[in-house]
Amino acid sequence: MPAVAQAPSIPGLEPYGILSPTLGLKDDLEALLLKDGYLTGPLDDTVDVFYRQGAIERAKKRLEEFTQSFPDNVLLIDQFYKRDQTFKLMFGTKRDLAYRDDANNRMVYVTPKWSTGVIMVTNASLKVYGGTLIDHCDTDPVAWVDDTGGQVTVSRETTIKQENTASVKLAFAAGAGTGLVAHHVISSINLTAVDSIGCWIRSSVALSAGDFKLLLDDTAACTSPLESIDIPAISADTWTWVNVAIATPANLTAVVAVGLNQVVDKGAFDLYLDFIVGGDWTDQLNAADFLTIGTTYSTADTWYEVASVQNDTELTLTAVYAGSTAYQQAYQARQTYTGTATDYWRSVTFELTDEWIATNGVDNPIAYPGSGQAATLAGAPKTRQLTVYEGYLVFGDVTDAGNRFPQRLQWPNHATTTGWATGDSGNLTIDGIGILTGFAKLQGFLLAFSERAIDKLWLVTGTTVFEKKRAVDDLGCFAPNSIIQTNEGVYFWAPDNTFRFFTGFTWESISGRMETFLKNLHPDYEANMQSLYNEEFDLCVWAVPSSASTGRLDTVLIYDPAEDTWAVMDLDVVSLGSYQIETAFTWNTLPYGTWDTWPWEKWDTRMGLENAPIDLLGAYDGQVYRLFGSDTDDGAAYTAKFALPVDLGGKKAPHLKKRVLFVDIFAMNEGNGTLAFNLSPDYEGYQALGSVSLSGSPSILRQRIAVDVSFFNAILQGYGTTRFRFLGIVFWAVPSGWR
C-alpha cells in the first residue's frame, strides 16, 4: 500500500487525513476515518455514491433491461415460481398484468381478453364496428331471396358498398307493399351471448324509425321470427351504422335466417345492407381498454386505446387507426383493470395450487395459473394486502359486500385459494386503531403490520386457526411497500418519519443520520414508497418522494446494514423488484470445472440460472430498467458527488484558522476518467480545488494538488462523471499566517 507522501520542507507544515482504514492507508497519520466523515442526506452535497468496502464509490444507475415497454407505469415487478421449476417474471400496471416472454422479446398480457367475433376498421378512422358475424353480405351468387313475388329485386352490389367486396341491394318496386320483403338463409348460429344487432344500411329515401324491422328466425323461411327489431331513422343516400337491441337473447340458440320486414310502404326506392353482426361490447369493454388485430396478445402487437363504447357493436378509439383497412378481421381486446397510477399491486405465489395471486385493492383479486389469462379469484373479498402463511392465503384490509374492514385478516380454507366459506376459512380483527398495512414472516411468526402496531400471529388447531399477540404498540408501518424482510429482522417505514428494524423484540431506528432529510419527505406521497432487498451486496433500497416531489418517487435511498451507512440516488422510480435472468446454464456454459466446486444438487433447476438475482426498477416511461446497471443513466452521463467535513485536528486542536498548501488524493485506478474537488471554506460556498486522473500504473493512485486556501472549518466535495472509488485525502496545513 502506498505510504503517505512527504510534503516539502515548510516550517509548521503538518498532515491531517480523512482516510480509509480498509486498504491500510491510515497508518499512524492523525486522521478521521473515511466512514465517519462521509456525509449523507442533502442532494446538493452528496448524491449517487455509496460507502462500500472502505471506499466512497460512484453508484451505477439505470440500464435498459427490456426493449419492449408498457403504455402505463409499471407498478409491480415479481417473479412467479412454479413447483415444476418453471417461472415467469410478472408485471402489473394500473390497467394490465403481463409476463416477460424472453424468447420473443416481448411482454405477454394476462389481462382478461374479449375476442368474440370480427371487426371492420378503416385506415385513418377513429371508428371500429363489429361483433359475431351473422351475414357479411358479400355472397356471390346472390343468397338473399325476394319474398314479394317479384316486387323486390335482390342483387349483389359491388360499387355502392361499405364493407369488403359487396353489399346486398334491394330494389323496391311500387307494389312491394308491407310485410316480409326478403330474407337470407345462413349457417346456424348461437346468438344468446349478444345483446344487439349492428349493420350498415343505406336508402335512396329517408327512413323513419320503425319503417323497417330486422328479423331473426330459427326457421329458414323467416316467417315466424324470434326477434323483430325496429330499425332507427336514417337519412337518404347515407351509409348509416345502426345498432338495435335484441329483446330476448336467450331464444336465439340456433338462428338460421335473417330477414327484412317493411312496416310502412315507402314506394319505389333502393335499400342496401352490409356487414350484419351481433355484439355485446357495452357489457364487455370500457373506455381505456385496448384493441388489436395482432395475434400474440403482447407488447409486440399494435394496440389502440378505446375512447368510448357507443353501443354493443360500435367503438371509438383515442387515436386514428394507422393500419391497413381491415374487413371481417379477428381481433383481441384487453379488458383492463380500473386502478389508478398509485394503486400498487401486491402479489404472492400460492405453491399448493401453483397459482400467482395479485390484488390492487380496487378490482377483485385475481388468480393466474401460469397460462392463459388471469381470472377473478372466486368468492374472495377485495383486499389491499396479502401473504401466504403455513398453507393459508391471508388477506388484510378487506372490503366485503361493499363494506371496508381495514383491520381485518381473512383467509379461505386451508391449501385452497377459493374456499372462502368452507372448512376452516375465517377472519380475525387486529385490535386498536390504524389501517393494516402489510405482512412479513419472522422467527416462524406471521407479522401483521398496521399503522400503529405490530402483531405476531401463529397457527393453532381447532376452529380458531390463528392466534395473535401484540408485539409493538403505538408504532407500526406507514408505507405498505416499505417492508423489507430478511433473516435477521424486518425493515419498515414508521409514522414518526424513521426507518425501523424489528428483530422480534426490538424496533430501533436505523435512520438517525438521515433524520433531516427524512422529516422532509413529501407527506402526500410517502405512503407510496417502494422497497427492494439487494442480495448481492446486502443492501436495503427504498424509493421515496423528496420534499420537492410532484407525485413521483424521485429519490432512492440505500442503507448498508453492515456499514450502517446511507446513500442517496437522484433517480425517479415507480416500482422495484428483482428476477433471475431467463437464460439457463447449459452443459457447455457451466462455470465450474470440477465436481468439488459444484454448488447445487441439480444442474437443471432454477438455481442454475445466470446472473441471479437482477434488481429492476419500473420507470415513469413504462420501461423496465436494471438498477445499479450502468455507469451512465440510460445512456446519459450524470455527476456523482460526495461531501466530507474538514475539521483539521480531529476536533482536538484549538479552533485556529488553518492554511492548506497541498492535498494528497488517494483513489483506486479505474483506467480512465477524472475526479474533481470543490472546497467550501467556513461554509461560504464551494470553490474549485482541482482534479486528479484516475488512470496510472499502481492499483491505488496517489496524486498531489497544490492549493492555497485558509479556513477554520470546511466541507470538501468530490465529484465525477465516470466511475471512481475514493479512498481518502491528506491535507498539508500550517496555522494561518505561517509559511
Side-chain angles (χ1 to χ4, degrees), residues 175-212:
T178 60
L180 180 66
V181 294
H183 76 277
H184 180 204
V185 177
I186 61 174
S187 298
S188 179
I189 185 172
N190 187 329
L191 296 177
T192 57
V194 305
D195 290 337
S196 302
I197 302 298
C199 66
W200 288 108
I201 297 182
R202 179 179 174 131
S203 172
S204 61
V205 299
L207 301 181
S208 299
D211 283 352
F212 281 85

Side-chain angles (χ1 to χ4, degrees), residues 432-674:
I433 61 173
I435 296 170
L436 192 146
T437 53
F439 297 103
K441 290 182 275 290
L442 182 66
Q443 299 164 356
F445 293 100
L446 174 63
L447 302 181
F449 288 85
S450 55
E451 292 177 322
R452 296 291 177 183
I454 305 174
D455 285 83
K456 290 183 178 180
L457 291 88
W458 60 95
L459 209 60
V460 294
T461 58
T463 58
T464 302
V465 183
F466 286 103
E467 189 59 82
K468 69 179 189 301
K469 180 181 180 180
R470 179 62 43 89
V472 181
D473 216 343
D474 296 327
L475 188 141
C477 173
F478 186 72
N481 284 351
S482 70
I483 297 172
I484 295 177
Q485 179 178 301
T486 70
N487 292 332
E488 292 76 24
V490 181
Y491 298 88
F492 62 94
W493 175 248
D496 62 351
N497 294 336
T498 61
F499 284 104
R500 300 270 175 165
F501 182 56
F502 180 58
T503 64
F505 305 98
T506 62
W507 48 93
E508 299 299 323
S509 169
I510 61 168
S511 54
R513 292 191 176 194
M514 298 292 291
E515 180 179 1
T516 301
F517 178 80
L518 294 177
K519 284 186 175 180
N520 289 320
L521 294 188
H522 202 296
D524 293 341
Y525 315 124
E526 62 178 308
N528 297 330
M529 70 170 59
Q530 302 293 295
S531 66
L532 168 74
Y533 180 65
N534 174 269
E535 294 184 19
E536 182 179 5
F537 299 117
D538 187 26
L539 301 174
C540 297
V541 182
W542 288 280
V544 303
S546 71
S547 59
S549 171
T550 57
R552 296 188 174 204
L553 303 176
D554 57 0
T555 304
V556 172
L557 305 179
I558 303 102
Y559 176 65
D560 185 339
E563 298 283 1
D564 190 28
T565 57
W566 288 82
V568 180
M569 291 179 68
D570 182 15
L571 195 62
D572 286 357
V573 172
V574 183
S575 59
L576 294 165
S578 61
Y579 84 120
Q580 290 177 317
I581 200 164
E582 287 92 342
T583 304
F585 287 125
T586 59
W587 281 111
N588 61 345
T589 62
L590 286 168
Y592 305 102
T594 59
W595 287 109
D596 60 343
T597 58
W598 188 271
W600 312 313
E601 294 182 2
K602 298 180 180 180
W603 74 275
D604 59 347
T605 69
R606 68 184 181 207
M607 295 183 68
L609 299 172
E610 298 179 10
N611 303 323
I614 301 297
D615 294 331
L616 300 177
L617 69 89
Y620 287 92
D621 56 4
Q623 196 79 26
V624 177
Y625 296 92
R626 185 176 296 200
L627 185 62
F628 311 130
S630 174
D631 283 315
T632 60
D633 183 17
D634 190 26
Y638 63 93
T639 301
K641 50 190 177 181
F642 61 88
L644 300 168
V646 181
D647 182 6
L648 301 185
K651 300 182 180 179
K652 299 177 182 178
H655 190 60
L656 299 176
K657 197 165 190 175
K658 281 77 64 175
R659 185 179 181 187
V660 177
L661 300 178
F662 304 95
V663 292
D664 290 331
I665 306 297
F666 294 84
M668 297 298 294
N669 183 354
E670 307 297 344
N672 62 76
T674 59

